[in-house]
Amino acid sequence: MSKQKLRVLIVEDNPDDAELLLRELTRGYEVEYQRVLTDEAMREALHNPRWDIILSDYQMPSFDAMAALEVRRQSGLDIPFILISGTIGEETAVGALKAGAQDFMVKGKMARLLPAIERELREAQVRRERREAMDEVRRSQRRLSGIFSQVAVGIVESDLGGKITHVNARFAAIVGRSEAELMDKSLIDFIHADDADAALEIVSDIRRGGRSFVTEKRYIRADGSEVWVNETISVVTSADGTPELLVAVVQDITDRKRAEEELRVAVKVRDEFLSIASHELKTPISALQPQVARMARLVREGRLGTVPPEKLEWMLGVVNRQIDRMNVLIGNLLDVTRITAGRLPTVRQETDLRELGTMIAGRLQEAIQKTGSSFIVTANEPVVGSWDPMGVDTVISNLLSNAAKFGEGQPVELTIEKIGERARITVRDHGIGIPPEEQNRIFLRFERAVPAEHYGGLGLGLWIARQIVESHGGTIAVESSKNKGSTFVVELPLQGTVPAQSTPPGPAHEPRTGAH
Ligand code: ADP
């Protein structure tokens, strides 16, 4: 059987002693060796750190074991060092052991040498393995803390009672606080009050043996704002399975929650709108149907000629008004789709607002007066500018029909004037008014501030008006209070430039909404 290799660094001045030593060693090993006599030679030899063991004499003319031990220490190498001396006093031996020698023995009594070497090699091997294991632990700690501090998700570690023991920078950013502010605090203090019970429930579940949880909850940031998170909580247990720590991986999902909420509101608004729209579209049909049925019966029975002309005209008047109403509703719906699709036709041309206003007033006069309102138009001078007459017609018509609808029986006033480089259109009524908190909302799509059962309408007129006014670079505003009437003021620049978002003219330029 071939012997194990042993690389020995011998620190010994006496060649005969070295020879004896080697003879002993070769009984157990295939020996490779180098003999050094000085400090420098030993340092040189240790540059190549391949030695399994150092065997050193105690006292030499130009070197000694204590100095050799110091050279080994400085090299940082873990090579077992055995002191072999002619005579060793107890004090010398203890000194050497204190300085790091692994063992000592007396020259000529070498029976213990081989077993001692074997033991030292084994122990050095154990030390090496432990060192490597520690290095590996340190490396993985570094890796982990790199991940911990740099991942894009928040991580928070707490004890079972929720006291924070570690957070990463991302978690601190999510909850809007510094890492130092969070340390040793209780997590529950930062959780939204409405979500605190669910968080405490998880703590009880952990006591009952639960080990992993996924929840959505809100934290409150230092500035008071809410942040929605998705949290995966894991329980870290000790070797015997006892829960020790909680680690939560936390993702900010505020944007998703906001989008979900917006979607929910949008769906609700759309559903409400659909139900109002179907009601609104059905109302004129219900009014139309009996008149048409009556006329059909008269024709069928050959009695049409017997009906007095005023009566027939009245019946046709009902039919016409309902058709007009349908037209307005459908026109509104079409405008909305065109505006949303960016296809609202805007054809600007030189337009006199006084002329246009007077024409609209003439068209709506009858309908307004039918509600019992008087109608006062003030337009003392021509107000000429470059506008889309169809669009401006829609704006004025929508405002007037609202004034008639919500100011029933009270005077409705339309004023058109020139103020500097702007045209101002004022529509005033003395009706139900609009509470201040509703005044922004009514310009939004589908928004109404009155109950559907009292007033018809799709909640579109003002939104459409605003889109048209803004596409002319103008403004629309309301001044009103409850039961005190409303004043809508539209201002249009006389020669407004078309803003960038303004829509190109569409192919068809059919009339849009008229009176409601
Ligand atoms: P609608 O066709 O439903 O009237 P609008 O967009 O024209 O839709 O108006 C939106 C809401 O604004 C109305 O439902 C009403 O609550 C309120 N509103 C508009 N004009 C007036 C007004 N002159 N007086 C009181 N409330 C008004």
Side-chain angles (χ1 to χ4, degrees):
M1 203 178 75
S2 68
K3 291 182 197 159
Q4 190 188 336
K5 261 213 164 103
L6 185 73
R7 284 157 302 199
V8 196
L9 184 61
I10 299 175
V11 186
E12 171 63 86
D13 64 322
N14 185 330
D16 294 340
D17 287 353
E19 187 59 31
L20 277 172
L21 200 54
L22 282 168
R23 201 171 303 154
E24 185 60 23
L25 291 175
T26 46
R27 291 202 308 119
Y29 296 96
E30 185 188 326
V31 180
E32 185 187 311
Y33 79 100
Q34 183 180 344
R35 185 159 68 98
V36 291
L37 308 179
T38 61
D39 187 301
E40 297 73 43
M42 181 168 172
R43 280 179 204 282
E44 182 70 31
L46 288 181
H47 270 150
N48 184 353
R50 64 201 164 101
W51 305 108
D52 296 315
I53 197 146
I54 301 169
L55 302 177
S56 172
D57 192 4
Y58 186 67
Q59 194 67 57
M60 291 156 279
S62 54
F63 202 23
D64 65 48
M66 295 308 275
L69 277 166
E70 179 56 20
V71 173
R72 184 195 68 166
R73 193 188 66 75
Q74 287 175 7
S75 76
L77 297 168
D78 178 16
I79 307 169
F81 188 110
I82 297 177
L83 174 63
I84 299 169
S85 176
T87 48
I88 294 184
E90 201 171 313
E91 231 168 274
T92 317
V94 170
L97 290 177
K98 271 194 179 152
Q102 268 66 36
D103 201 353
F104 63 88
M105 52 198 66
V106 180
K107 285 182 184 174
K109 292 190 180 167
M110 301 288 242
R112 246 177 13 89
L113 181 63
L114 291 187
I117 289 176
E118 202 175 305
R119 186 196 65 228
E120 287 311 322
L121 292 183
R122 226 175 20 244
E123 286 184 5
Q125 173 71 13
V126 169
R127 284 198 300 276
R128 189 159 44 244
E129 282 170 3
R130 192 175 306 144
R131 245 188 339 262
E132 281 166 8
M134 285 305 291
D135 284 351
E136 182 51 38
V137 167
R138 267 183 227 112
R139 264 198 303 279
S140 44
Q141 260 170 355
R142 268 201 304 277
R143 239 187 345 255
L144 265 179
S145 77
I147 294 171
F148 189 75
S149 59
Q150 278 166 29
V151 277
V153 289
I155 302 177
V156 52
E157 183 195 276
S158 74
D159 66 16
L160 296 180
K163 193 175 89 172
I164 298 171
T165 48
H166 273 108
V167 295
N168 69 351
R170 180 73 192 124
F171 180 81
I174 289 175
V175 298
R177 289 180 164 81
S178 71
E179 292 171 51
E181 260 177 285
L182 291 165
M183 282 310 281
D184 296 328
K185 303 281 166 46
S186 180
L187 260 178
I188 200 86
D189 293 344
F190 305 116
I191 294 174
H192 191 288
D194 293 349
D195 298 334
D197 283 349
L200 293 172
E201 186 58 30
I202 288 181
V203 174
S204 328
D205 279 356
I206 290 165
R207 290 214 184 90
R208 289 196 291 271
R211 291 293 174 262
S212 163
F213 307 85
V214 180
T215 71
E216 287 186 357
K217 63 156 78 99
R218 282 157 290 177
Y219 282 104
I220 302 292
R221 291 202 172 102
D223 64 8
S225 61
E226 279 179 17
V227 55
W228 268 103
V229 298
N230 173 292
E231 212 170 273
T232 306
I233 303 167
S234 310
V235 181
V236 179
T237 57
S238 64
D240 66 359
T242 318
E244 280 190 333
L245 288 173
L246 303 180
V247 175
V249 175
V250 181
Q251 265 175 304
D252 185 343
I253 54 163
T254 310
D255 288 347
R256 196 195 85 198
K257 282 284 178 188
R258 195 173 297 140
E260 278 173 10
E261 179 58 16
E262 280 169 9
L263 195 64
R264 203 185 57 72
V265 170
V267 168
K268 185 164 161 268
V269 169
R270 186 204 61 189
D271 288 349
E272 277 169 13
F273 168 73
L274 285 177
S275 107
I276 289 174
S278 8
H279 172 79
E280 283 295 298
L281 290 167
K282 260 179 89 170
T283 312
I285 294 176
S286 318
L288 256 178
Q289 257 169 348
Q291 301 306 328
V292 174
R294 221 166 126 197
M295 284 194 270
R297 198 170 59 243
L298 289 171
V299 171
R300 217 171 31 246
E301 295 168 358
R303 293 196 294 119
L304 197 60
T306 67
V307 183
E310 326 77 75
K311 177 86 180 157
L312 261 184
E313 207 180 324
W314 180 86
M315 286 161 75
L316 284 172
V318 172
V319 170
N320 258 334
R321 272 198 304 281
Q322 300 312 325
I323 290 175
D324 279 351
R325 194 167 164 193
M326 293 273 286
N327 236 339
V328 170
L329 290 170
I330 293 168
N332 264 336
L333 288 174
L334 272 175
D335 278 350
V336 172
T337 13
R338 286 201 197 112
I339 291 172
T340 341
R343 283 191 283 107
L344 185 71
T346 46
V347 179
R348 277 163 179 266
Q349 61 193 59
E350 193 172 281
T351 307
D352 179 358
L353 262 193
R354 178 168 70 165
E355 238 170 60
L356 183 65
T358 314
M359 187 194 78
I360 300 167
R363 196 175 68 220
L364 298 184
Q365 177 120 11
E366 197 193 328
I368 294 174
Q369 284 170 348
K370 240 182 160 14
T371 66
S373 297
S374 58
F375 185 25
I376 305 148
V377 182
T378 314
N380 296 326
E381 51 173 345
V383 182
V384 180
S386 164
W387 301 297
D388 169 27
M390 294 289 182
V392 179
D393 187 329
T394 304
V395 174
I396 297 176
S397 305
N398 285 354
L399 293 179
L400 282 176
S401 59
N402 277 347
K405 183 162 64 171
F406 298 110
E408 216 175 12
Q410 309 291 327
V412 170
E413 299 155 44
L414 167 66
T415 308
I416 292 171
E417 56 200 326
K418 196 172 131 201
I419 311 267
E421 286 307 295
R422 295 168 84 80
R424 181 186 288 168
I425 304 160
T426 309
V427 176
R428 170 173 294 135
D429 67 61
H430 301 272
I432 63 168
I434 306 156
E437 64 276 14
E438 309 278 19
Q439 288 175 11
N440 282 330
R441 192 166 68 82
I442 55 172
F443 291 99
L444 301 178
R445 200 158 43 148
F446 308 140
E447 293 287 0
R448 313 173 72 245
V450 286
E453 54 284 12
H454 293 165
Y455 294 96
L458 297 176
L460 294 174
L462 288 180
W463 182 75
I464 292 170
R466 195 182 93 187
Q467 304 305 309
I468 294 170
V469 168
E470 288 180 353
S471 80
H472 282 82
T475 56
I476 180 166
V478 65
E479 220 188 280
S480 178
S481 54
K482 208 166 156 52
N483 297 323
K484 293 269 160 53
S486 309
T487 305
F488 283 85
V489 179
V490 171
E491 289 198 359
L492 299 174
L494 297 183
Q495 301 295 335
T497 46
V498 182
Q501 77 269 21
S502 181
T503 50
H509 190 213
E510 51 204 85
R512 289 194 299 263
T513 46
H516 286 236

